[in-house]
Amino acid sequence: MRSEQRPVTGLSVVVLGGTGFLGRRIGAACVADGARVHLVSRTSAAVPSPAGGPGVSAIGLDLVTASPREIADVLAEAGADVVVNAAGRAWQADEAQMAAGNAELVERVVTALAALPGPPVRLVQLGTVHEYGAGAPDAATGEEHEPAPVTPYGRTKLQGTRAVLRARREQGVNGVVLRLANVIGAGVPEGSLFGRVAAHLGAAARADARGEKAAELRLPPLRAARDLVDAQDVVAAVLAAATAPEADVAGQVINVGRGTAVPMRALVDRMIALSGLELPVAEAAEAPGSRTDVAWQCLDVSRARHLLGWRPLRSLDDSLRELLTSVLPPEHPRPGTPLGITADAPAEEGKRP
């Protein structure tokens, strides 16, 4: 059944990875909703403004090395009602480092939660579309699809998901997994395609302001199509999952995406067009057998609508404008919709382009 969305007002929310791209947004939204928020990061001094302030505490803890007991002590001290695990490794890490941040950490978090006295604490674990691997071949991928990840990131995140589901079955941990599409928005890490292109456009705009020629944008082969979701929509899904009835969501995997497959070359072209810059792009040729990920991703998000009352509200152009505004110099014209560029999905929902 569809769960009525409830505010987190008055709840104690612990955000693991609270200074990261999503963690700081989740913390800020919970504060705005009236929660007491505890942002956990390697160093408490790393909590940025405006995430810091009234209703927010910063907790320094190296989650990669912390024991279940140390994690449990932090959660008990915070009087946690909700734990959001936004920690993990995706960029500039090898498989062992990803396993430590994406799988082993989750094992220790669920062990800590199982040991806490009192009512079960809600755990919202952030998973990824990359857990599916290729997904459904000709339609949107639903949660019942058997995961077959093909990258170290997908494999280690799937281990984390399975740890949450196993802890629910065996120890009664009140956990739910949100399996996120590729997240886009201001502050997205430069290790991602979106962050890399945005950073280059920012540098190109500054060069243009100095009367200099912008450097060529060199990219890997852009043959893939990806489901993208705005960071603000992800935050809304997290808040809905944090307060949904246990009977509805505990032990569930719930897809969170836009339900459309966006060709990556079209995305890059749109970013450049919205920036208003003239920028040469050099896309590398794809050698036979060189692909290490999947060519097409699209999520079925009907379960999120049914269980959380959630749906994506932000268009792709909304996301791109916010991202570009964050990297372009203040004197650069505000990103708009150029003539001939249409907002939103270039691919039909749930079907291959």
Side-chain angles (χ1 to χ4, degrees):
M1 64 180 295
R2 173 176 168 156
S3 299
E4 293 299 325
Q5 295 189 31
R6 308 171 183 180
V8 294
T9 306
L11 298 182
S12 176
V13 179
V14 176
V15 183
L16 307 180
T19 60
F21 168 52
L22 285 175
R24 64 177 181 266
R25 287 174 177 263
I26 293 165
C30 290
V31 170
D33 213 7
R36 305 185 310 280
V37 175
H38 312 272
L39 302 177
V40 180
S41 63
R42 186 174 291 111
T43 60
S44 59
V47 176
S49 180
V56 182
S57 70
I59 300 172
L61 182 68
D62 187 344
L63 291 166
V64 172
T65 61
S67 67
R69 178 67 183 184
E70 289 173 311
I71 295 171
D73 286 346
V74 165
L75 301 182
E77 179 69 21
D81 298 300
V82 177
V83 175
V84 180
N85 184 20
R89 296 295 300 272
W91 314 109
Q92 299 176 328
D94 60 27
E95 189 154 1
Q97 292 169 320
M98 289 185 187
N102 301 336
E104 296 162 17
L105 167 61
V106 183
E107 293 277 7
R108 286 181 277 112
V109 168
V110 296
T111 299
L113 287 169
L116 290 176
V121 174
R122 169 64 49 81
L123 170 64
V124 181
Q125 166 72 14
L126 302 188
T128 174
V129 62
H130 296 283
E131 296 173 40
Y132 286 121
D138 297 306
T141 300
E143 293 87 352
E144 71 285 350
H145 186 90
E146 185 64 27
V150 298
T151 63
Y153 179 63
R155 287 191 292 270
T156 56
K157 289 294 285 186
L158 179 59
Q159 292 172 35
T161 289
R162 287 174 171 166
V164 174
L165 302 184
R166 184 170 57 251
R168 174 61 182 176
R169 291 193 308 270
E170 298 177 1
Q171 299 172 291
V173 170
N174 183 7
V176 56
V177 178
L178 300 184
R179 196 166 268 165
L180 308 181
N182 301 276
V183 185
I184 189 167
V188 66
E190 289 189 23
S192 72
L193 173 65
F194 329 124
R196 177 178 176 181
V197 173
H200 192 97
L201 287 170
R206 290 187 290 274
D208 184 69
R210 297 190 299 267
E212 300 171 2
K213 184 179 179 180
E216 183 178 62
L217 174 59
R218 296 179 177 272
L219 295 172
L222 300 174
R223 303 293 184 265
R226 294 282 182 263
D227 198 333
L228 309 174
V229 64
D230 189 89
Q232 292 185 35
D233 284 330
V234 170
V235 170
V238 169
L239 266 61
T243 56
E246 182 176 354
D248 287 355
V249 301
Q252 295 277 3
V253 174
I254 302 174
N255 288 341
V256 174
R258 290 177 63 248
T260 60
V262 179
M264 290 297 94
R265 181 56 198 244
L267 176 81
V268 171
D269 289 344
R270 183 173 297 180
M271 289 181 71
I272 295 171
L274 289 173
S275 75
L277 295 164
E278 295 289 338
L279 185 68
V281 178
E283 181 182 345
E286 186 170 7
S290 64
R291 178 173 287 282
T292 58
D293 60 355
V294 298
W296 193 80
Q297 292 174 335
C298 181
L299 291 177
D300 179 347
V301 295
S302 56
R303 183 177 290 183
R305 289 195 297 268
H306 181 63
L307 295 180
L308 302 178
W310 175 91
R311 62 184 179 89
L313 298 178
R314 301 263 292 172
S315 75
L316 182 56
D317 275 358
D318 289 337
S319 305
L320 295 182
R321 288 192 192 95
E322 180 191 277
L323 174 55
L324 291 170
T325 298
S326 72
V327 297
L328 295 174
E331 64 273 13
H332 191 82
R334 184 177 178 84
T337 301
L339 184 65
I341 299 294
T342 58
D344 225 345
E348 186 177 352
E349 182 170 350
K351 297 181 181 179
R352 287 188 179 277

